[in-house]
Amino acid sequence: MVNITIDGQKISVKSGTTILKAAGSIGIDIPTLCNFKDFTPDGFCRMCVVEVVGSKELEKSCSTSVAEGMVVKTDTFKVRNERRTALKALMVDHKFDCLTCYKYESCFFVENNANCIDYAPYKAVGTEGFTDRPIDDSNPFYTYDPSKCVLCGRCIKVCDHLQCNHVLEQFDREKDSMIDTVDDLPRGKSDCVSCGNCIAVCPTGALAPKHFKPFSYTKHVQTVCPYCGVGCTLNLKVMDNQITDVFSSDGNVNNNLLCIKGRFAYDFVNSPDRLTTPLIRKNGVLEEATWEEAISLVAQKLKEAKAEGPQAVAGLSSARCTNEDNYVFQKFIRTVGETNNIDHCARLCHASTVAGLAKSFGSGAMTNSIDEVDIMDVIFVIGSNTTETHPIIGAKIKQRQQQGAALIVAEPRRIELANYADIFLQIKPGTNVAVLNGMMRAILDAGLEDKTFVNERTEGYEAFLEFMNTITVEGCAEICGVDPDELRKAGVLYATKDKGGLFYSMGVTQHKTGTDGVMSTANLAMLTGKIGREGCGVNPLRGQNNVQGACDMGALPGDLPGYQKIANPEVRAKFEKAWDAKLPENVGKTLTEIIDGVGEGTIKFLYVMGENPVVSDPNTNHVKEALGKGNFIVVQDIFLTETTEFADVVLPAFVFAEKDGTFTNTERRIQLLRKAVEAPGIAKTDWEIIGLIAKKMGYKGFDFTSDEEIMEEIASVTPSYAGISHERLRNGDRIQWPCLSKDSEGAKFLHKGKFTRGLGAFMVADYIPPEDQADEEFPMILMTGRILQHYHTRTMTKRTPGIQEIAGDPFVEINPAKALEYGIEEGEIINVTSPRGSVSAKTRFNEGIMETNLFMPFHYGENGANYLTGGELDPIAKIPPFKVVKVNISK
């Protein structure tokens, strides 16, 4: 500790602390501009200068460390005069259009208003005297006005060190200086990903969103992003029942960072295309109806279907809806519908995670917190294009790599993270099990397994070791198509670092061997002892905003809330008492089985809440054919979708900004939504609609009056949510399940000291080739996945014009050398055909994809990638394969 005096106050601070931080710790506010977060200070603005007794010159408090006995004065005439000079230099050439500026409330000059007055600025507020420079408006979402830029460098810092995109740089041109893209292109033509994080930190409004209008809000409402599973905090600005802007804040999951969707893609909330009233199909046409008419018809048809038997009813719940919505829906299907035929889109993305990690660890969820990336020594990413699918986690991984952590990436495409990786293994599609086995074989060959952890905390190791002795690193490398030396290095690198996290997503799960792939990740973690302690674990990145919560709530055919098994008589008895209803004993049908059942005529009544299976499910032609034969289909959504084309009744629901409730993000964190705007027309919240149908059919137990009341019931029957309440969340508690009591803080990471199942289980998983293999008729392999700009089936994101400008049309990525072989030019529309269907899409050249492979995003309805997908299901998780599809192409 160092003893110093600041403005007469004697304090002790840690050695190495800057004067600026030391002053702030005792409430002395020193003005700053270029200083930003904890990055190395530039000190060029000189707004933070102070007088240090004994020093001939004024010192920059942001970059000067304290010293024993130092005496600092922050408010002398000399200091004030220097700050006055610094302000004059900033203001002399600044465009002052304060009343129409994006930062009119929080501009640096406004925040330092007292200083501006006190330091006698060079000119009064006005627009005269500045150099008017051209505005860059090439980006669809924001503008850059260099006439307002004070060259503080904050945008460069956030782009380099937080978003880690390295797009911006300061250029000195003759007598002029400005911030521009590193490749000297307009921002709209550069590698900018339109995250808008530079806008958030700009102190003067030089960077501003295009949609901004002055004085355009009357309140702020904090809620949770409705897109990916990261669960970023959003602050919505609202005026006249419309969202006018979005920003975030520090101290939350995302620490003020947002992606293009979270910051800009909220046009769907106030879209004129929103459903506003119930619709009933009459003579083949959906016509407006009253709630009474719609509810009565749905109740009547459900009664008729139940008369056919318990397997005649099914429901598809939603990862877009709240925990409360999903809980009420699955309760409705099981008690009113008298069936366990309930599933949701987790079947298509992480069913193999739930199954695989439950077998290995006893719990199928992300074992670490997102913040733990900050302390990891090695990060292994496999089957995840993290910077596009989970942008904030991707940014944190890049941050940690820039701080010195090792990064291993195994992917069939050269994704952005590959450019940061110490080792990049460009594996063949569908070879995840082989690459993981190869790494583990390398670890065993080097004697780097954690024998203590294996002996004390696991079982099944003997059988696992017996299998591992039948394979070689070279054999695995040949299967994957990688250099065996690089594969060996990857295994050794992962094993030799202290703290390591493994991150995966649908590149691992969406295979007929998806469960094997998940169990292999668990094997690697246990073999190296990298599980059950902070900064070590296996982390499945859940795709949608509440897919974790929908699983937690029991929107699964074999699981009641909290993964309590329907096959367990004691569990059934507990819920029968709580719900005052007899529950069916048999495990229900999965999502794909439900669609098959509709087509076969065994399912007479299908209730779809917030899902769009025509776009999201594999083999679109088959899905359309099945739904076209449907007896009675109810779709509850916010827009007309590809699936509502087959609906007999359409019920209008609320979006995230119109409701309260909770989402559970990928790290098991339960977060509170808050209502910001009113819903259009006579739309209702999802759980209220379900309750109206139950009441119409004479069932009790659905007369909820609030989301908070529903959460109380969830907590009463779900051990992992027992300590969760809206009150705790409103009070700022940041809780991750399991939270077993009202005084529990939850679990930052899982399996400390003991696995959920007791001992961790090593599972033997040998490589099994994908069903689809390239052949003479279909010589190429197609992979599908997400892209940064869109979310799931585009129902929401396609309403944002800027996103449509960037990614409005489906496309297929192809290696330029392969395109040359076919005589295909970039941007040309080609046909892509599989055994299941054919689509047309524009080509995009990508040198980072193998010549034998193609890639298509699955978000699009017309000419969507899922017309091509399908095949044999994972036998355990019943997840369809999406990542390996044999195809041919033609001009």
Side-chain angles (χ1 to χ4, degrees):
M1 302 297 288
V2 174
N3 300 300
I4 63 172
T5 303
I6 305 179
D7 291 345
Q9 298 187 52
K10 294 184 177 181
I11 60 169
S12 295
V13 296
K14 287 184 178 180
S15 177
T17 303
T18 63
I19 296 173
L20 180 66
K21 285 192 173 181
S25 70
I26 56 173
I28 296 176
D29 184 25
I30 299 175
T32 63
L33 177 59
C34 63
N35 183 69
F36 180 62
K37 292 188 178 284
D38 293 324
F39 301 127
T40 303
D42 297 318
F44 85 90
C45 74
R46 297 193 61 79
M47 281 298 299
C48 68
V49 292
V50 294
E51 189 173 338
V52 176
V53 175
S55 177
K56 295 181 180 179
E57 304 290 337
L58 294 177
E59 301 289 348
K60 301 169 186 174
S61 64
C62 68
S63 57
T64 303
S65 297
V66 296
E68 180 64 34
M70 178 182 281
V71 177
V72 179
K73 298 179 179 180
T74 70
D75 195 26
T76 66
F77 173 80
K78 189 176 181 181
V79 167
R80 292 157 67 84
N81 192 54
E82 180 65 19
R83 291 178 184 166
R84 182 184 298 114
T85 302
L87 269 173
K88 174 181 175 181
L90 291 172
M91 300 177 79
V92 67
D93 197 31
H94 182 75
K95 183 199 290 186
F96 283 90
D97 54 356
C98 299
L99 297 182
T100 59
C101 179
Y102 179 61
K103 292 284 183 166
Y104 69 94
E105 281 187 308
S106 56
C107 169
F108 167 77
F109 297 113
V110 172
E111 289 179 343
N112 288 276
N113 184 47
N115 292 327
C116 291
I117 296 171
D118 210 20
Y119 301 149
Y122 176 68
K123 67 175 183 179
V125 172
T127 57
E128 71 284 354
F130 69 90
T131 304
D132 197 2
R133 303 174 181 89
I135 295 174
D136 182 351
D137 63 354
S138 60
N139 186 283
F141 298 99
Y142 68 91
T143 60
Y144 170 60
D145 185 352
S147 301
K148 292 183 180 181
C149 181
V150 293
L151 303 176
C152 66
R154 290 187 182 187
C155 57
I156 298 175
K157 288 176 181 176
V158 76
C159 192
D160 282 356
H161 302 294
L162 294 181
Q163 185 62 31
C164 305
N165 265 26
H166 310 283
V167 173
L168 301 174
E169 189 175 358
Q170 181 170 327
F171 291 88
D172 298 313
R173 297 185 174 96
E174 298 179 357
K175 296 181 180 181
D176 197 15
S177 295
M178 65 184 298
I179 293 172
D180 213 337
T181 62
V182 293
D183 44 15
D184 204 21
L185 291 171
R187 280 164 167 75
K189 302 293 184 183
S190 71
D191 291 332
C192 173
V193 294
S194 302
C195 64
N197 293 317
C198 55
I199 300 172
V201 302
C202 176
T204 64
L207 291 158
K210 285 185 171 179
H211 64 248
F212 166 71
K213 294 178 181 178
F215 306 104
S216 58
Y217 77 98
T218 53
K219 65 177 179 178
H220 292 167
V221 179
Q222 186 177 98
T223 188
V224 183
C225 181
Y227 288 114
C228 82
V230 176
C232 296
T233 297
L234 301 184
N235 291 287
L236 308 180
K237 290 185 177 182
V238 177
M239 185 172 184
D240 296 334
N241 204 45
Q242 294 201 354
I243 299 171
T244 58
D245 196 14
V246 173
F247 66 100
S248 194
S249 54
D250 285 330
N252 298 296
V253 171
N254 49 310
N255 284 321
N256 205 32
L257 296 181
L258 291 174
C259 76
I260 182 175
K261 298 186 293 293
R263 193 175 301 278
F264 295 115
Y266 52 85
D267 300 78
F268 73 94
V269 175
N270 298 119
S271 169
D273 298 332
R274 284 285 303 279
L275 290 169
T276 60
T277 187
L279 303 173
I280 295 177
R281 191 172 299 279
K282 298 177 180 178
N283 299 317
V285 179
L286 288 172
E287 297 181 2
E288 292 188 0
T290 65
W291 274 109
E292 176 61 29
E293 291 170 331
I295 295 298
S296 296
L297 179 58
V298 171
Q300 175 193 335
K301 293 296 184 179
L302 179 53
K303 287 178 183 177
E304 293 174 2
K306 286 172 62 178
E308 299 277 344
Q311 294 306 311
V313 175
L316 299 180
S317 201
S318 176
R320 290 190 291 162
C321 295
T322 63
N323 288 321
E324 292 77 5
D325 295 331
N326 278 285
Y327 175 82
V328 173
F329 187 82
Q330 62 84 31
K331 179 182 178 182
F332 174 88
I333 295 295
R334 288 187 160 110
T335 58
V336 181
E338 300 178 1
T339 181
N340 287 314
N341 292 339
I342 176 169
D343 209 354
H344 71 292
C345 67
R347 186 64 51 192
L348 308 176
C349 57
H350 276 281
S352 39
T353 286
V354 175
L357 291 187
K359 281 179 172 289
S360 298
F361 299 154
S363 174
M366 187 167 165
T367 67
N368 296 112
S369 301
I370 295 170
D371 285 346
E372 290 175 63
V373 172
D374 297 341
I375 60 171
M376 291 176 179
D377 302 308
V378 60
I379 298 167
F380 179 23
V381 177
I382 178 171
S384 168
N385 187 4
T386 321
T387 55
E388 295 210 33
T389 59
H390 301 82
I392 304 309
I393 296 177
K396 288 186 74 69
I397 290 172
K398 290 190 289 183
Q399 291 170 26
R400 186 60 185 146
Q401 186 275 338
Q402 290 184 176
Q403 294 163 1
L407 176 61
I408 305 165
V409 175
E411 262 287 315
R413 292 191 299 157
R414 187 174 185 87
I415 59 174
E416 183 188 358
L417 284 181
N419 300 327
Y420 291 78
D422 296 82
I423 298 173
F424 171 48
L425 302 171
Q426 189 162 15
I427 60 176
K428 294 178 182 178
T431 61
N432 301 299
V433 172
V435 77
L436 289 162
N437 282 342
M439 288 177 65
M440 289 187 283
R441 180 67 264 172
I443 291 166
L444 291 167
D445 289 347
L448 294 173
E449 69 273 25
D450 189 331
K451 295 183 177 66
T452 301
F453 185 93
V454 169
N455 291 335
E456 295 180 356
R457 296 206 49 194
T458 71
E459 62 184 4
Y461 184 66
E462 293 77 11
F464 166 78
L465 191 59
E466 183 179 343
F467 161 70
M468 291 302 296
N469 288 335
T470 68
I471 65 174
T472 64
V473 173
E474 288 71 22
C476 293
E478 184 177 359
I479 291 169
C480 300
V482 299
D483 184 336
D485 290 339
E486 290 296 294
L487 183 56
R488 194 176 295 277
K489 287 178 185 176
V492 170
L493 178 60
Y494 188 77
T496 51
K497 296 291 184 178
D498 178 29
K499 293 185 176 182
L502 188 153
F503 294 83
Y504 73 85
S505 193
M506 297 190 298
V508 167
T509 61
Q510 288 184 326
H511 300 273
K512 75 170 186 179
T513 56
T515 303
D516 287 346
V518 170
M519 293 189 299
S520 296
T521 68
N523 288 343
L524 177 61
M526 291 186 291
L527 185 66
T528 56
K530 289 181 171 57
I531 184 73
R533 55 193 176 101
E534 193 173 16
C536 297
V538 176
N539 299 289
L541 301 177
R542 307 305 292 265
Q544 295 194 60
N545 54 302
N546 200 37
V547 69
Q548 182 66 59
C551 291
D552 297 345
M553 293 301 103
L556 297 167
D559 294 74
L560 288 155
Y563 307 97
Q564 299 171 84
K565 301 302 177 183
I566 194 71
N568 186 327
E570 293 180 1
V571 169
R572 284 201 311 276
K574 165 187 166 180
F575 278 91
E576 286 174 347
K577 181 179 180 181
W579 292 345
D580 192 23
K582 182 70 175 175
L583 296 182
E585 299 179 7
N586 61 297
V587 172
K589 294 181 183 295
T590 64
L591 189 154
T592 53
E593 292 169 340
I594 288 171
I595 297 298
D596 290 344
V598 172
E600 293 162 0
T602 56
I603 291 178
K604 305 291 186 181
F605 180 97
L606 176 62
Y607 190 168
V608 181
M609 179 180 74
E611 289 282 291
N612 190 3
V614 171
V615 177
S616 60
D617 288 21
N619 199 344
T620 301
N621 286 322
H622 169 69
V623 175
K624 283 185 170 183
E625 181 182 358
L627 295 181
K629 297 177 181 177
N631 180 66
F632 192 80
I633 298 174
V634 181
V635 177
Q636 190 166 300
D637 216 315
I638 59 177
F639 292 103
L640 290 175
T641 67
E642 290 83 356
T643 300
T644 60
E645 294 177 14
F646 300 91
D648 296 282
V649 174
V650 177
L651 304 175
F654 285 8
V655 302
F656 83 107
E658 296 158 356
K659 61 170 73 175
D660 298 313
T662 57
F663 290 156
T664 303
N665 76 345
T666 188
E667 60 173 351
R668 300 168 283 103
R669 189 181 303 281
I670 302 98
Q671 301 187 100
L672 196 64
L673 278 75
R674 295 173 176 86
K675 181 178 178 178
V677 295
E678 298 293 334
I682 56 173
K684 297 180 182 294
T685 194
D686 291 280
W687 60 259
E688 183 183 2
I689 299 170
I690 301 162
L692 288 173
I693 301 170
K695 183 178 180 181
K696 190 70 175 179
M697 297 187 68
Y699 283 80
K700 298 179 181 180
F702 292 87
D703 52 348
F704 300 107
T705 58
S706 69
D707 297 85
E708 188 163 6
E709 185 181 347
I710 298 169
M711 180 53 73
E712 290 173 0
E713 182 170 310
I714 294 169
S716 71
V717 296
T718 312
S720 56
Y721 278 67
I724 304 297
S725 69
H726 282 213
E727 181 181 9
R728 289 191 67 183
L729 299 177
R730 279 195 300 270
N731 292 336
D733 287 4
R734 302 183 68 213
I735 308 171
Q736 295 164 269
W737 67 256
C739 181
L740 305 180
S741 65
K742 296 296 183 183
D743 57 358
S744 169
E745 297 180 358
K748 185 175 183 179
F749 60 93
L750 299 180
H751 313 304
K752 180 180 180 180
K754 181 182 179 181
F755 286 98
T756 305
R757 69 183 300 278
L759 293 174
F762 277 96
M763 308 297 294
V764 173
D766 197 0
Y767 168 72
I768 300 173
E771 176 186 359
D772 272 17
Q773 295 287 320
D775 54 33
E776 187 175 347
E777 183 180 1
F778 300 100
M780 301 190 73
I781 293 296
L782 171 75
M783 304 170 288
T784 68
R786 287 187 169 94
I787 57 174
L788 173 66
Q789 295 81 10
H790 281 303
Y791 164 79
H792 205 47
T793 59
R794 290 202 315 144
T795 304
M796 301 188 299
T797 47
K798 71 180 180 182
R799 265 78 191 183
T800 297
I803 285 181
Q804 286 297 92
E805 182 180 333
I806 296 172
D809 298 316
F811 63 87
V812 54
E813 286 186 355
I814 185 171
N815 187 289
K818 179 60 69 173
L820 181 63
E821 181 182 321
Y822 278 81
I824 294 170
E825 297 182 0
E826 186 165 22
E828 184 175 352
I829 295 177
I830 64 170
N831 299 316
V832 185
T833 303
S834 80
R836 303 164 194 92
S838 183
V839 299
S840 300
K842 291 182 178 179
T843 56
R844 282 191 186 178
F845 286 180
N846 181 358
E847 293 182 352
I849 193 169
M850 297 180 193
E851 291 188 30
T852 53
N853 296 339
L854 303 170
F855 171 82
M856 286 188 73
F858 65 73
H859 308 287
Y860 301 89
E862 186 178 359
N863 283 311
N866 281 330
Y867 278 95
L868 310 172
T869 59
E872 188 177 343
L873 303 179
D874 180 307
I876 300 171
K878 303 291 183 68
I879 191 170
F882 290 89
K883 299 300 185 187
V884 183
V885 183
K886 63 180 182 180
V887 296
N888 62 45
I889 59 174
S890 60
K891 297 187 63 162

